[in-house]
Amino acid sequence: MPVTYQYFTASKLNEKAAILRWETSQEINSSHFEVQASIDAVSFSAIGRIAAAGNASIPTHYSFTDYNPKNGVNYYRLKQVDRDGQFTYSPARAVRFDLVENGMVKYYPNPTNGMLGVAMTGNMKIEAKVINVSNAAGIVVRQIRLGANSPDVIQLNMNGFAKGTYFIQVKSSTTNSTSRIVLQ
């Protein structure tokens, strides 16, 4: 690997910005890091570019601030590009911004033993929507796409997942709601 990461984190800087930090312990012929963002953990787009050290065998620290996060969960990843054009992606990290009201979706029971009810009200009933289930590290472990006029309550079966904390995001054209769920 031309670049060895020590860590890559993403967190809230404040209510309107996310800060991404990463450190490399070694770089060989690295050109730059393209910072990418997504609201669905599938379609990523570039939001910034940071020059890389090129060749380094000592820890090198980097950071990038996203001053325009979207409502709900924002997923971030790094595209590390070498001087010869080859590239690799880092794992995605998630940061939640509650800039939209969550009242359109109810999640129950929480904590859950495996079956989670996701109840939608208002316009969400008649809109196409995506449900993302992310683990505590921000990695999407399941994605469900639902068409318009789906049931008001979706039963989400989490029995195959390891016990722990998950984030459930329901996104439509008018709402982006995320809730922290504990699976016992």
Side-chain angles (χ1 to χ4, degrees), residues 28-48:
I28 301 170
N29 293 324
S30 59
S31 171
H32 63 276
F33 297 92
E34 181 178 280
V35 180
Q36 299 182 341
S38 171
I39 58 170
D40 62 6
V42 175
S43 301
F44 283 84
S45 59
I47 60 169

Side-chain angles (χ1 to χ4, degrees), residues 1-172:
M1 293 272 306
V3 171
T4 304
Y5 291 97
Q6 290 299 104
Y7 62 82
F8 169 49
T9 63
S11 59
K12 279 186 181 181
L13 180 62
N14 56 43
E15 290 304 314
K16 296 181 182 178
I19 182 84
L20 284 64
R21 294 183 174 101
W22 65 99
E23 178 183 300
T24 62
S25 59
Q26 177 178 320
E27 296 183 35
I28 301 170
N29 293 324
S30 59
S31 171
H32 63 276
F33 297 92
E34 181 178 280
V35 180
Q36 299 182 341
S38 171
I39 58 170
D40 62 6
V42 175
S43 301
F44 283 84
S45 59
I47 60 169
R49 181 177 165 144
I50 303 290
N55 290 297
S57 58
I58 60 170
T60 306
H61 302 273
Y62 298 92
S63 67
F64 178 84
T65 304
D66 179 8
Y67 291 103
N68 296 301
K70 306 293 186 250
N71 296 332
V73 178
N74 291 253
Y75 299 92
Y76 297 99
R77 73 179 181 188
L78 301 173
K79 178 180 179 183
Q80 184 275 313
V81 182
D82 294 339
R83 290 180 179 159
D84 64 4
Q86 293 186 19
F87 60 88
T88 59
Y89 293 107
S90 71
R93 301 293 185 245
V95 180
R96 177 180 169 184
F97 286 88
D98 296 320
L99 306 175
V100 174
E101 181 192 327
N102 279 346
M104 300 294 283
V105 181
K106 305 287 185 226
Y107 306 86
Y108 63 89
N110 189 15
T112 182
N113 288 322
M115 291 303 290
L116 180 71
V118 181
M120 288 157 259
T121 60
N123 287 342
M124 289 205 73
K125 291 181 193 179
I126 59 171
E127 296 175 330
K129 51 203 137 299
V130 175
I131 299 175
N132 286 319
V133 180
S134 302
N135 63 19
I139 298 168
V140 175
V141 294
R142 180 181 291 164
Q143 183 174 74
I144 302 165
R145 294 184 179 274
L146 300 168
N149 298 316
S150 59
D152 295 351
V153 178
I154 306 299
Q155 291 297 322
L156 185 58
N157 186 345
M158 300 179 68
N159 284 318
F161 297 146
K163 294 179 181 181
T165 301
Y166 293 87
F167 294 93
I168 313 298
Q169 175 192 35
V170 179
K171 184 172 181 344
S172 72

